[in-house]
């Protein structure tokens, strides 16, 4: 194969439609052994890695709760879920650590994101642990 044919082959591979690549990977999956320690010292063994809509992380699972962090990047991990206030038709909230601290630095951006921001096929995501304080 000549250099032009090889270049065309590489270019063709790089221009695969994004939708085909997205369909090949699930939006969310469990990582059973992934360790996390929150700002209180609580240990979590396992998480869910999931695409999300970047947004606010709140100290409690209520839409009126203060924002302590921001999620800036996707995908991200979540260690558990709990029920909270209804937010856009869903009352499931996921516990995580934000990418950016915006208030209460001692909390280290740990808090909740509403299920509507988490691109899981089902809420709560099957196999993700319910938060022990729920």
């Amino acid at each position: 194969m000549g250099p032009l044919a090889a270049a065309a082959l590489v270019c063709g591979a790089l221009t695969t439609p994004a939708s085909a690549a997205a369909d090949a990977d699930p939006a969310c999956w469990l990582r059973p052994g992934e360790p996390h320690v929150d700002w209180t010292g609580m240990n979590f063994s396992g998480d869910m890695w999931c695409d999300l809509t970047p947004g606010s992380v709140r100290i409690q699972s209520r839409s009126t709760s203060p924002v302590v962090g921001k999620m800036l990047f996707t995908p991200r991990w979540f260690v558990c879920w709990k029920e909270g206030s209804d937010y856009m038709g869903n009352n499931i909230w996921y516990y995580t650590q934000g990418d950016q601290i915006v208030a209460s630095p001692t909390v280290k951006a740990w808090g909740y994101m509403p299920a509507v921001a988490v691109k899981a096929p089902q809420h709560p995501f099957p196999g993700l642990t319910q938060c022990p304080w729920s």
Side-chain angles (χ1 to χ4, degrees):
M1 177 180 328
L4 290 178
L9 182 61
V10 169
C11 285
L14 295 176
T15 59
T16 302
S19 62
D23 292 342
D25 295 326
C28 302
W29 61 92
L30 296 174
R31 302 186 310 171
E34 196 65 31
H36 299 279
V37 180
D38 76 1
W39 69 281
T40 68
M42 183 153 196
N43 289 292
F44 297 89
S45 179
D47 65 18
M48 167 185 70
W49 189 255
C50 202
D51 287 331
L52 61 95
T53 301
S56 298
V57 176
R58 298 181 179 277
I59 189 72
Q60 295 293 330
S61 55
R62 295 187 309 272
S63 58
T64 57
S65 179
V67 173
V68 293
K70 291 282 185 183
M71 282 294 200
L72 305 173
F73 308 104
T74 186
R76 291 291 297 161
W77 50 262
F78 301 88
V79 295
C80 62
W81 64 272
K82 69 176 281 199
E83 291 183 5
S85 69
D86 182 75
Y87 186 79
M88 298 178 65
N90 196 312
N91 70 339
I92 301 298
W93 292 72
Y94 291 99
Y95 190 55
T96 188
Q97 184 176 27
D99 297 313
Q100 179 183 47
I101 297 170
V102 297
S104 303
T106 56
V107 176
K108 300 179 182 175
W110 277 89
Y112 299 89
M113 287 199 76
V116 297
V118 180
K119 297 180 181 180
Q122 178 180 337
H123 300 293
F125 188 72
L128 183 66
T129 306
Q130 186 171 1
C131 298
W133 52 85
S134 295

